[in-house]
Amino acid sequence: MNVQILVKANHHVNQDTMVFVQVERDLKSSNYVTLRFANGDYYKFDVNHYRETERYITTYENVYARDAFIEKLKNGEITIEEGGKQ
């Protein structure tokens, strides 16, 4: 599944930025999801407890997109089903 997240401008981000995120569900365990960003950054977390398991994030935009994605997931605005489909 691919998601677009609008990152609001702040003191680290000069202008509102659209971040594209590829969402991958772990085939071995459906509890884990990896967010992959266009620049090669990634963030893997446990969707049951929202705990980070692995990450490599180099830009503020990706940090804020990750935070926004998890917030939307917690609020039920985004759902992840079997096979990574929304």
Side-chain angles (χ1 to χ4, degrees):
M1 157 174 73
N2 293 314
V3 178
Q4 297 177 20
I5 300 173
L6 181 64
V7 175
K8 300 288 187 183
N10 60 33
H11 66 282
H12 294 297
V13 179
N14 294 329
Q15 59 186 358
D16 288 358
T17 306
M18 188 65 70
V19 176
F20 297 92
V21 181
Q22 181 178 6
V23 181
E24 299 173 354
R25 184 156 218 156
D26 192 321
L27 297 176
K28 296 176 189 171
S29 170
S30 61
N31 294 344
Y32 298 101
V33 169
T34 303
L35 305 180
R36 296 204 181 274
F37 301 92
N39 68 347
D41 289 1
Y42 63 88
Y43 181 79
K44 184 175 181 178
F45 68 101
D46 180 333
V47 294
N48 293 334
H49 305 286
Y50 304 102
R51 281 193 299 236
E52 169 188 308
T53 59
E54 295 176 39
R55 74 176 161 138
Y56 180 77
I57 297 182
T58 60
T59 67
Y60 285 112
E61 287 88 349
N62 290 349
V63 170
Y64 298 140
R66 173 206 63 194
D67 293 347
F69 180 89
I70 291 173
E71 192 62 34
K72 288 178 181 288
L73 191 61
K74 286 180 181 179
N75 292 336
E77 296 174 48
I78 295 175
T79 58
I80 301 172
E81 297 174 4
E82 211 53 46
K85 295 180 182 173
Q86 183 174 1

